[in-house]
Amino acid sequence: MLKRQNPSTPEPSRELAADGGALPMSHNDSRSLFNLSQLVLSAGQIKPSPALKHSKITYFEVEIVDVQSKKQICIVDKVSPASTLLDVKHKFHKACPQWYPSRVGLQLEHNGPFLKDSTSIQSLAVSSIITLYFTDLGQQVGWTTFFLTEYTGPLLIYLLFYIRLSTIYDQVESRKNLRHPVVHLACFCHCLHYIRHLLETLFVHKFSEGHTPLKNMIKGCAFYWGFTSWIAYYINHPRYTPPSFGHKQVSYAALAFLMCEAGNHFINVALAHQTNSGNRTCFPSPTYNPFTWLFLLVSCPNYTYEAGSWISFTVMTQTLPVGIFAFLMVIQMSLWAQKKHKLYLKRFYPEVRRKAAMIPIIF
């Protein structure tokens, strides 16, 4: 009797194989599949790799040419479009260490104006190569140093004459002639004027562009220091005679001087506040402070108050040197005011067109 042989493959598996189903897996194969599935699950969702973006940045070459000899000094390469003229000056300084950025003047045209440090390179570009003309501006100083030096000198010089040094005045004459009260008042007013200027330079004014030629500071110091010596010598001289109309003339002039000094300070604070707030879209308007109401009549009231201070000081002391200095200051202030008034007309025409520059109707 023959024994029935057990098939090696069960019947259902045989049917799956016959129908094209999956063949049975071994233990090792099932374990490998399990590990692969765990790896896929732990890796998370497979994301397609993003396509690489090819960004092309156009760099400029800046050719720097001497304005006089027309010879090329150097080429500043790989200048990005976002760079400013100040960045170019710093790269130029690395190539030519003897030219500091503060003394480098660059022009787009041979006889054109000097470009500002904040000028964008992209705004100057017509092609990939930009030609700029170089001018040596000379030794430069900061604006803060400029004004501190210019105003500190008169303050100290006047005090040297006020104490009547033996090298300046005769001591016998100084002891014999007592000082008139207007001499002390003039010293107070003169010191107050320059102390105000120094404090405003440090804490109120904000200076742009940062530098000015050293020769300008020398000329300014020669003007202010020289006139201060002349003025202080006459007022503090033992033979100085008081004003003709006595106490009334001195009192009214001193009051006008103090009002002009206060007005000048409040106008400078108002202008500085407008600059710090970044609001340059409108002309400075008067506030509740009565000293700022002069904005309704003139566009440069700070120059009006400055001229008023020196005119009042002239009436108070009644001396020729102060009168000449006040006359020159009024001329200089009027020129500065007219120049600034023209700039205001371009920016704020509807608000400034009916105003005077410094003195109503006259200027």
Side-chain angles (χ1 to χ4, degrees):
M1 187 175 179
L2 296 174
K3 291 184 180 179
R4 188 177 178 181
Q5 187 177 3
N6 291 332
S8 61
T9 305
E11 195 67 21
S13 298
R14 216 183 272 154
E15 291 176 359
L16 288 173
D19 294 337
L23 294 174
M25 294 182 295
S26 65
H27 178 70
N28 292 335
D29 292 339
S30 61
R31 188 171 182 178
S32 299
L33 181 62
F34 175 76
N35 292 336
L36 179 63
S37 62
Q38 291 295 325
L39 179 63
V40 172
L41 290 176
S42 63
Q45 185 179 2
I46 300 177
K47 296 182 179 180
S49 59
L52 295 177
K53 295 182 180 180
H54 299 281
S55 58
K56 186 178 181 181
I57 300 176
T58 303
Y59 290 96
F60 297 102
E61 289 186 356
V62 180
E63 180 189 21
I64 299 180
V65 179
D66 187 80
V67 71
Q68 295 180 351
S69 64
K70 307 296 188 300
K71 294 181 179 179
Q72 183 189 97
I73 301 176
C74 75
I75 293 181
V76 180
D77 57 354
K78 292 185 178 180
V79 179
S80 66
S83 300
T84 61
L85 202 67
L86 183 60
D87 299 328
V88 174
K89 288 183 179 181
H90 282 292
K91 290 185 177 182
F92 177 56
H93 173 57
K94 289 182 179 179
C96 303
Q98 68 272 26
W99 305 119
Y100 292 94
S102 60
R103 66 183 299 168
V104 173
L106 297 177
Q107 302 162 278
L108 191 60
E109 300 176 357
H110 181 262
N111 295 322
F114 290 109
L115 300 172
K116 295 182 178 180
D117 290 345
S118 57
T119 304
S120 173
I121 292 298
Q122 193 169 12
S123 64
L124 304 176
V126 179
S127 63
S128 60
I129 300 178
I130 305 172
T131 301
L132 297 178
Y133 294 94
F134 162 77
T135 301
D136 180 17
L137 299 177
Q139 186 65 37
Q140 303 286 301
V141 293
W143 280 110
T144 302
T145 303
F146 175 89
F147 287 112
L148 290 179
T149 306
E150 192 175 68
Y151 296 143
T152 303
L155 180 64
L156 299 178
I157 290 172
Y158 196 97
L159 291 175
L160 290 177
F161 283 91
Y162 176 74
I163 62 179
R164 290 183 176 178
L165 294 175
S166 58
T167 55
I168 302 175
Y169 302 113
D170 182 67
Q171 292 301 303
V172 176
E173 211 171 25
S174 299
R175 287 191 295 268
K176 181 196 272 187
N177 298 326
L178 297 177
R179 303 189 195 197
H180 192 274
V182 70
V183 176
H184 303 292
L185 182 60
C187 180
F188 170 78
C189 292
H190 191 275
C191 293
L192 176 66
H193 177 79
Y194 284 102
I195 289 174
R196 177 184 64 80
H197 273 304
L198 290 172
L199 293 177
E200 288 177 352
T201 300
L202 293 173
F203 303 110
V204 177
H205 297 302
K206 301 297 180 183
F207 304 108
S208 59
E209 295 300 326
H211 298 87
T212 186
L214 178 63
K215 60 181 181 180
N216 289 346
M217 188 180 77
I218 295 175
K219 290 190 294 185
C221 289
F223 177 77
Y224 280 99
W225 294 17
F227 261 103
T228 299
S229 302
W230 193 23
I231 291 170
Y233 176 80
Y234 271 81
I235 296 177
N236 296 284
H237 199 281
R239 297 181 185 179
Y240 168 76
T241 55
S244 304
F245 296 96
H247 180 70
K248 286 186 177 181
Q249 178 178 344
V250 173
S251 299
Y252 290 141
L255 181 61
F257 177 87
L258 294 176
M259 291 181 64
C260 289
E261 287 295 303
N264 201 341
H265 172 70
F266 288 121
I267 292 296
N268 289 331
V269 170
L271 293 173
H273 177 73
Q274 180 204 22
T275 304
N276 293 337
S277 62
N279 183 19
R280 299 188 181 184
T281 58
C282 59
F283 184 75
S285 57
T287 63
Y288 63 88
N289 190 334
F291 289 102
T292 62
W293 294 351
L294 199 56
F295 272 123
L296 298 173
L297 301 176
V298 296
S299 59
C300 303
N302 52 328
Y303 296 144
T304 307
Y305 282 123
E306 183 75 13
S309 295
W310 287 112
I311 293 174
S312 303
F313 194 77
T314 303
V315 175
M316 181 179 65
T317 57
Q318 195 175 311
T319 53
L320 180 62
V322 181
I324 296 175
F325 181 74
F327 176 72
L328 295 177
M329 288 296 291
V330 169
I331 294 177
Q332 183 63 73
M333 294 294 168
S334 64
L335 294 176
W336 287 342
Q338 289 177 21
K339 184 178 180 180
K340 187 173 288 188
H341 185 70
K342 291 179 181 179
L343 295 176
Y344 284 152
L345 284 174
K346 294 180 181 179
R347 295 181 183 179
F348 320 111
Y349 174 73
E351 301 174 78
V352 185
R353 62 189 178 91
R354 294 185 179 181
K355 301 179 189 293
M358 190 178 84
I359 300 176
I361 301 174
I362 299 177
F363 295 112

